[in-house]
């Protein structure tokens, strides 16, 4: 091996080593976060890349590495994830794993014990450039004996989905001999000579000046900053510990005092027998009532003061084929679902029929050699295809189909014929007519273009021979034009059917799937097709149901696979490969 190749190999190994190190760190974080499937995908990807780079036999596959990455991460993993979610209850109320939900119960639920202690509090702020900041400490005064404690600015421990602090923890220490020590930091008091009140604390050359207290009306001017920058961010979900206390803001006094509290739920371990084996299970119990919470359908169930069961928190759980069974057995879901299912096929079939019929008719007219100005007509007729679909959909929705101000109702239905305005988007029948009209407008230029190309490829000799035999124009179309067109256009028509089967943009932008289907327990609409219904289940309505939406996605996938297979068979692709 030449020196140049050795240097290149060493550089490649070093780069690969760095990338593998980064990949290992990322994979470990993915597994620790509970994303097992994604972690396995990443492991397979890293192993394949290393094999392709280091093994000379697979040199030709090095150029496929970007495609491998995209294929695994953007195709295979989403497919696996959809299948995984389809067999779970993932959705509103079930957004976290059981472990995460248990942790939430142990840290975010509290109660006030009978022997609780209440504390007044006083904020001392470290000013920056003569302006208040969120660098503060809190002086706490126990109401029972007026003993003083000092608490530090808490540390954020957890955040919610919007980035706000959902849990903050701090420490408190008694104020003795005019000083207190918090985390190896000593704070020394400074008293007002006249009133005898503590006006500031000093620590590490920082001065914390008395800033606000709900009990002191003289600090009312500082209340807005306290509520927005201190309480709103740091004290809303804070927990202070020290001197056998756990302190939180007291909701019963509108958060104007702190009060001792305790975690409502605790964790115990139970021994159970499953499948002939003895296993240890962790259970959640209510510290206030000593009630062990049972788990039903992915929920922890507690009892209120009247003995009534209520759902405390839910977690992601495996439900088997429940989502698929629900699709065909629940009356409130089955009726709307089958209505949407049938309409999806009608929508796709009529869209293809109308666009093809109009496109073919226009292509036959434009294919006439004696017609003048064909280029102008072609340009004008192709405009609906050139304009972005979402712009056209909004024009149809607000400019043409608006019940009150739309052009069709105001100037044609009412203006010319003097009739009642049509509820284009408010009535189920007319909404379906509206979406078909709009989709026909968007689709006929494509059909016209492909039909025109197919017409021009038909040999003129066939028409000359038919004319000699005395065939009329209609007979020439039935016996020559249409059969030869179908040879070319049949796969395109099937492909167009598959496209319209999942044509989310046209439906959603015009009607949002509405109007709603009466009696449905889901967000089903009269013009919804399966893909828009799936989207609304997952992201709209009163709750999100990703599991049920994924089950419908699998059904759509199987239907589209069947259509694609039929398309390949129709186009003769498989026969050509077999030859």
């Amino acid at each position: 091996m030449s020196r140049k190749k050795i240097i290149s190999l060493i550089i490649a190994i070093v780069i690969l080593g760095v990338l593998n190190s980064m990949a290992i760190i990322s994979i470990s974080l993915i597994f620790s976060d509970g994303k097992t499937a994604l972690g396995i995908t990443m492991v397979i990807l890293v192993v394949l890349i290393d094999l392709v780079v280091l093994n000379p036999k697979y040199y030709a596959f090095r150029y496929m590495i970007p495609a491998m990455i995209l294929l695994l991460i953007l195709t295979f993993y989403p497919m696996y994830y959809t299948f995984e979610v389809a067999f779970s209850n993932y959705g509103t109320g079930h957004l976290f794993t059981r472990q995460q939900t248990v942790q939430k119960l142990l840290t975010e639920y509290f109660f006030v014990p009978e022997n609780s202690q209440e504390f007044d509090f006083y904020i001392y702020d470290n000013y920056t450039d003569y302006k208040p900041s969120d660098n503060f400490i809190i002086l706490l005064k126990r109401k029972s004996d007026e003993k003083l404690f000092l608490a530090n600015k808490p540390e954020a421990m957890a955040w919610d989905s919007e980035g706000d602090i959902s849990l903050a923890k701090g420490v408190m220490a008694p104020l003795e001999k005019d000083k207190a020590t918090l985390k190896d930091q000593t704070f020394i008091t400074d008293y007002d000579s006249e009133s005898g009140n503590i006006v500031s604390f000093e620590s590490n050359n920082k001065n914390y000046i008395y800033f606000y207290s709900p009990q002191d009306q003289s600090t009312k001017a500082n209340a807005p900053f306290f509520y927005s920058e201190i309480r709103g961010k740091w004290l809303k979900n804070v927990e202070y510990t020290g001197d056998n206390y756990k302190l939180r803001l007291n909701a019963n006094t509108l958060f104007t005092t702190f009060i001792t509290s305790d975690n409502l739920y605790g964790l115990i371990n139970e021994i159970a027998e499953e499948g002939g084996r003895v296993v240890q299970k962790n259970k959640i119990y209510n510290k206030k009532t000593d009630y062990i919470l049972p788990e039903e359908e992915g929920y922890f169930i507690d009892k209120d003061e009247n003995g009534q069961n209520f759902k405390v928190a839910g977690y992601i759980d495996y439900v088997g084929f429940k989502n698929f069974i629900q699709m065909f057995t629940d009356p409130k879901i089955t009726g709307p679902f089958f209505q949407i299912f049938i309409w999806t096929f009608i929508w796709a079939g009529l869209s293809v029929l109308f666009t093809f019929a109009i496109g073919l008719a226009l292509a036959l007219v434009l294919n006439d050699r004696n017609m003048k100005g064909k280029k102008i007509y072609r340009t004008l007729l192709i405009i609906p295809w050139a304009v972005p679909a979402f712009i056209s959909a909004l024009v149809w929705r607000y400019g043409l189909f608006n019940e009150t101000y739309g052009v069709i109702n105001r100037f044609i239905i009412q203006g010319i014929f003097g009739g009642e305005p049509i509820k284009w988007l408010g009535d189920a029948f007319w909404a379906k007519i509206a979406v078909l009209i709009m989709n026909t407008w968007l689709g006929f230029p494509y059909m016209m273009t492909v039909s025109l190309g197919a017409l021009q490829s038909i040999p003129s000799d066939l028409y000359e021979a038919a004319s000699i035999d005395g065939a009329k124009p209609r007979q020439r179309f039935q016996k020559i034009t249409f059969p030869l067109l179908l040879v070319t256009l049949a796969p395109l028509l099937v492909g167009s059917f598959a496209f319209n089967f999942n044509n989310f943009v046209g439906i959603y932008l015009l009607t949002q799937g509405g109007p709603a289907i009466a009696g449905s327990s889901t967000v089903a609409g009269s013009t919804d097709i399966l893909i828009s219904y799936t989207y609304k289940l997952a992201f709209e309505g009163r709750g999100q149901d990703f599991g049920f939406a994924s089950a419908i996605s699998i059904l759509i996938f199987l239907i589209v696979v069947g259509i694609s297979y039929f398309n390949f068979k129709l186009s003769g692709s498989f026969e050509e490969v077999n030859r």
Side-chain angles (χ1 to χ4, degrees):
M1 184 180 292
S2 66
R3 181 179 177 183
K4 185 176 180 180
K5 289 184 177 181
I6 293 174
I7 294 174
S8 301
L9 180 62
I10 293 173
I11 293 173
I13 291 174
V14 170
I15 295 174
L16 194 63
V18 172
L19 294 176
N20 279 346
S21 301
M22 295 171 62
I24 290 171
I25 295 172
S26 301
I27 290 169
S28 63
L29 292 174
I30 290 171
F31 275 111
S32 64
D33 197 37
K35 303 293 191 296
T36 306
L38 182 59
I40 293 173
T41 303
M42 294 295 292
V43 169
I44 294 172
L45 188 61
V46 171
V47 171
L48 288 175
I49 291 174
D50 288 348
L51 183 65
V52 168
V53 172
L54 297 177
N55 195 329
K57 294 181 180 179
Y58 303 107
Y59 181 84
F61 294 100
R62 294 179 186 180
Y63 303 102
M64 297 177 61
I65 289 177
M68 289 168 52
I69 295 173
L70 294 175
L71 185 65
L72 282 172
I73 295 179
L74 299 181
T75 303
F76 288 154
Y77 174 70
M79 288 175 62
Y80 169 81
Y81 186 72
T82 302
F83 274 85
E84 183 182 41
V85 171
F87 294 92
S88 74
N89 61 354
Y90 185 34
T92 300
H94 304 276
L95 296 175
F96 303 98
T97 63
R98 186 181 184 277
Q99 181 180 354
Q100 291 171 325
T101 303
V102 168
Q103 187 64 27
K104 183 179 179 182
L105 290 172
L106 296 178
T107 58
E108 297 185 12
Y109 290 79
F110 300 89
F111 77 102
V112 177
E114 294 181 359
N115 58 345
S116 60
Q117 296 286 332
E118 198 170 0
F119 294 74
D120 290 327
F121 68 91
Y122 307 86
I123 303 295
Y124 289 79
D125 193 72
N126 177 230
Y127 282 69
T128 302
D129 295 331
Y130 305 103
K131 294 180 180 180
S133 68
D134 65 350
N135 186 13
F136 63 92
I137 58 175
I138 304 178
L139 179 65
L140 299 159
K141 183 169 70 173
R142 189 164 57 194
K143 286 189 174 185
S144 59
D145 57 6
E146 295 191 351
K147 184 175 181 179
L148 298 177
F149 299 83
L150 197 65
N152 66 341
K153 176 184 175 180
E155 295 181 7
M157 308 300 294
W159 293 262
D160 59 22
S161 59
E162 297 180 356
D164 297 327
I165 297 172
S166 60
L167 178 63
K169 289 189 175 183
V171 295
M172 55 184 287
L175 186 66
E176 297 176 342
K177 296 180 181 181
D178 298 334
K179 66 179 181 180
T181 301
L182 296 169
K183 290 190 174 182
D184 299 327
Q185 186 176 355
T186 302
F187 294 84
I188 301 174
T189 59
D190 183 17
Y191 289 89
D192 180 47
S193 57
E194 294 182 3
S195 64
N197 295 327
I198 300 174
V199 295
S200 67
F201 287 87
E202 186 177 350
S203 176
N204 297 337
N205 297 322
K206 289 183 178 180
N207 201 23
Y208 295 84
I209 301 172
Y210 178 48
F211 180 71
Y212 176 77
S213 173
Q215 289 77 32
D216 189 351
Q217 290 298 316
S218 66
T219 62
K220 188 176 180 180
N222 295 328
F225 185 88
F226 165 76
Y227 285 118
S228 62
E229 301 299 326
I230 296 178
R231 200 193 86 174
K233 289 183 179 179
W234 296 100
L235 302 185
K236 182 172 61 175
N237 296 305
V238 72
E239 177 186 291
Y240 280 112
T241 57
D243 197 22
N244 298 321
Y245 285 140
K246 284 185 178 180
L247 263 63
R248 297 180 70 87
L249 282 174
N250 187 1
N252 293 329
T253 61
L254 298 178
F255 308 108
T256 58
T257 61
F258 277 85
I259 195 167
T260 53
S261 61
D262 195 6
N263 296 92
L264 180 59
Y265 297 106
L267 192 65
I268 60 173
N269 292 321
E270 279 192 347
I271 305 299
E273 184 175 345
E274 286 186 359
R277 295 186 306 165
V278 177
V279 295
Q280 185 174 338
K281 282 190 170 184
N282 53 16
K283 293 285 186 177
I284 299 293
Y285 75 100
N286 189 314
K287 289 184 178 181
K288 192 175 180 180
T289 61
D290 291 329
Y291 178 69
I292 298 177
L293 275 62
E295 300 176 39
E296 298 177 6
E297 297 181 350
Y299 282 106
F300 287 99
I301 309 296
D302 200 355
K303 286 188 176 181
D304 59 19
E305 297 177 353
N306 300 320
Q308 299 294 321
N309 291 339
F310 67 94
K311 298 173 182 178
V312 181
Y315 56 88
I316 301 171
D317 195 21
Y318 174 76
V319 296
F321 288 91
K322 179 182 177 181
N323 292 320
F324 296 91
I325 295 171
Q326 188 181 25
M327 209 183 295
F328 300 102
T329 58
D330 189 339
K332 292 183 179 180
I333 294 176
T334 303
F337 174 77
F338 276 105
Q339 187 174 330
I340 292 171
F341 184 82
I342 294 169
W343 162 245
T344 303
F345 281 91
I346 294 173
W347 149 262
L350 291 180
S351 293
V352 173
L353 176 64
F354 293 156
T355 56
F356 178 63
I358 295 175
L360 178 58
L362 292 172
L364 290 170
V365 173
L366 293 174
N367 195 47
D368 187 352
R369 295 178 181 178
N370 300 320
M371 185 178 181
K372 296 180 179 180
K374 287 190 291 184
K375 292 183 178 180
I376 297 176
Y377 293 130
R378 288 178 185 177
T379 303
L380 293 174
L381 290 172
I382 211 170
I383 287 177
W385 193 20
V387 176
F390 71 92
I391 294 178
S392 297
L394 294 177
V395 169
W396 279 96
R397 177 179 175 82
Y398 297 107
L400 297 173
F401 288 139
N402 185 281
E403 184 179 344
T404 305
Y405 304 106
V407 172
I408 297 177
N409 272 353
R410 185 159 187 171
F411 295 102
I412 300 177
I413 304 297
Q414 293 176 289
I416 299 176
F417 298 102
E420 291 294 325
I422 296 174
K423 296 181 179 180
W424 289 105
L425 306 180
D427 180 80
F429 173 77
W430 287 109
K432 291 178 180 179
I433 297 297
V435 292
L436 285 171
I437 291 173
M438 186 202 69
N439 206 45
T440 302
W441 167 264
L442 294 174
F444 83 82
Y446 168 75
M447 289 298 181
M448 180 190 71
T449 304
V450 296
S451 298
L452 194 57
L455 285 172
Q456 292 175 354
S457 66
I458 298 175
S460 59
D461 297 345
L462 297 177
Y463 293 108
E464 293 176 1
S467 298
I468 293 172
D469 291 338
K472 297 180 179 180
R474 188 178 66 179
Q475 293 175 318
R476 291 199 295 268
F477 176 80
Q478 292 177 345
K479 301 298 183 180
I480 299 175
T481 305
F482 195 70
L484 292 178
L485 276 176
L486 285 182
V487 174
T488 305
L489 298 183
L492 296 178
L493 295 177
V494 176
S496 179
F497 181 89
F499 169 78
N500 283 293
F501 194 87
N502 285 325
N503 189 358
F504 173 83
V505 174
I507 292 289
Y508 195 79
L509 287 180
L510 186 63
T511 64
Q512 282 82 50
I517 296 177
S520 174
S521 61
T522 61
V523 289
S526 299
T527 57
D528 266 322
I529 57 176
L530 288 173
I531 189 66
S532 66
Y533 181 49
T534 302
Y535 174 83
K536 289 164 68 175
L537 280 172
F539 301 108
E540 292 185 358
R542 292 173 295 176
Q544 299 168 336
D545 195 342
F546 299 113
F548 189 61
S550 297
I552 297 178
S553 297
I554 292 175
L555 178 63
I556 296 173
F557 171 75
L558 295 175
I559 293 172
V560 173
V561 166
I563 294 172
S564 300
Y565 177 78
F566 176 72
N567 195 11
F568 282 129
K569 292 292 289 183
L570 194 64
S571 62
S573 297
F574 291 158
E575 285 78 5
E576 290 179 7
V577 171
N578 290 335
R579 290 183 194 135

